[in-house]
Amino acid sequence: MSLKNYKEIDTNKVEMNIVIAKDVFETAVNNVFRKNAKHISIPGFRKGKATRGLVEKFYGKTVFYEDAINDLLPSEIDSAAKETPFKIAGMPEVTDVDFENEEGVVCVVTFVRYPDVKLSAYKGLKVQKVTVETTDAEVDAELERVRQRYSRTIAVTDRAAQNGDTVDINYEGFIGDKAFEGGKAEGHKLKLGSGAFIPGFEDQIVGKETGSEFDVVVTFPEDYGAEELAGKEATFKCKLNGIEFEELPTLDDEFAKDASEFDTLAEYKADIKANIEKRHAAEADVRLAEELTKALIANVEADIPDVLVDKEQDMLVREYDYNLRAQGLSLEMLTKYTGMKASDIKERYKDQAVVNVKKQLAIDEIVKAEKVEASEEDIENKYKEMAEQFGMKVEDVKARITSDDLALDVQSIKAFELVKDAAKVTEKTVTAEEFAKMNAPEEAEKPAKKTTAKKSTKKADGEAAEKKPAAKKTAAKKAEGEAAEKKPAAKKTTAKKAEGEAAEKKTTAKKTTTAKKTTKKDAE
């Protein structure tokens, strides 16, 4: 292979002429013939017995050309691209092939390149680190959650219902003398005082005894989700089937022994506090990284190709699907039951994708400017870290992720650490509530409309599975099942597609005149 010439034909779009030596192409053609010979039929010959010359005479000289080009071009494009100052960003496209050129087979290939990047500053970035103060109230709340898990349910037989009890009720709602849809249930468990039902409903159950039948009269709020019920008075005919309450264990040393590895409550509380502090510290580090990323990409100037953003969006969608599957859901289920389109979900990640791409472009510039390197020890340690993280053997991780890919990952981490170490960081301590508000989305989700007497607290679309995507891709993602993704220059470059890529848009603009037609229709 030789690169005859290359030129930039548009912003971030490069055209190059690749010359494949005649002897190299001839060898590739011969290999294609040998591979397919047993499937080829020629009148007067048994299948697989015709020579290459007879096949080419019968079907045409170019019968094997396209497959030969398909076999050669991926590596040829990779090699040729390395002779240019550009890095391939988008899948290369073959726009012309000349089989009759005196120099050899000449292929015209275009590709989208990574943009030129101007990074005006990356040292001395001014950011604020927000540290969350761990309070006794948080420790007590966590202790109470554990205490709730160790509670036991006791049936009430000697008194009336009171706030805090869980009651088993049948009910049916009426507007006037007409029952309305969604207002009936049997054996429904309701914790009194929870506020799960329309205001005033639970209060009217307090004081009632098991077996009693009674009416609950309430008025639906004016802004109630079901317009036919909004603002109207309703009567619920109820029957109280049973009462129970949760008996909580006493917070003492015995409880600590049951619920933890510690012998005293004081030790257990100290451990809870230490774990909360670790969680707060991790949250503070994540937020600091996000603030550093914002400050860093504000200094990036680049004409970013759409293909880079699109690829990052696809990666983030795959992460989202992975998170959903970890909860027994999937992207397919989400789109099926919510009516959302896959394109809508992808679009949600566009802003984050732009941030991620800009950050990586900046990191790449820092790696070059600071000559950041990944030593063999760094790479080996990263392999071990990932093996431990994913519960895999080091050899299995190495089989899925190349050392070159991992080296890039290590370099990126080191470069961002350099930005962090050189930043001018001020610190601020806030409460957990203040921290939550600082990290809340700019536009809070609107609460779901109520459609029955019972409030809905579960999200229908499974968005609880969505986690904030990391600002940087790492090789770790490959260990989660994405190792199959190849460099764009190494495949998908010609008319022939690998199995499973049929949905991808065809990239070869001009085909060889007879190769495809005769090979598929006749030779096979």
Side-chain angles (χ1 to χ4, degrees), residues 55-91:
V55 174
E56 289 178 339
K57 184 177 180 180
F58 190 81
Y59 291 114
K61 181 181 178 182
T62 63
V63 64
F64 300 118
Y65 280 15
E66 184 176 356
D67 282 349
I69 286 293
N70 289 337
D71 290 345
L72 288 171
L73 266 183
S75 59
E76 300 288 345
I77 290 173
D78 262 350
S79 298
K82 290 175 182 176
E83 295 184 30
T84 76
F86 309 121
K87 179 181 175 184
I88 294 176
M91 188 171 62

Side-chain angles (χ1 to χ4, degrees), residues 140-213:
D140 291 341
E142 178 61 29
L143 197 58
E144 187 61 25
R145 281 191 286 271
V146 177
R147 191 179 176 213
Q148 291 286 344
R149 292 202 297 269
Y150 279 81
S151 66
R152 60 175 184 159
T153 301
I154 298 177
V156 175
T157 58
D158 58 352
R159 64 168 174 80
Q162 59 188 33
N163 271 326
D165 289 342
T166 297
V167 294
D168 181 310
I169 58 172
N170 300 342
Y171 64 81
E172 184 172 16
F174 295 83
I175 301 294
D177 59 356
K178 184 177 181 181
F180 57 85
E181 185 178 357
K184 182 178 181 179
E186 292 186 358
H188 182 82
K189 294 291 184 73
L190 172 63
K191 187 169 184 177
L192 301 182
S194 65
F197 273 36
I198 298 168
F201 190 101
E202 295 167 29
D203 295 339
Q204 296 178 55
I205 300 177
V206 172
K208 300 295 189 297
E209 295 184 349
T210 299
S212 61
E213 297 184 19

Side-chain angles (χ1 to χ4, degrees), residues 122-125 292 416-425:
Y122 58 89
K123 292 182 178 179
L125 302 179
L292 279 169
F416 194 69
E417 284 297 316
L418 186 153
V419 173
K420 182 178 177 181
D421 293 341
K424 295 179 180 179
V425 183

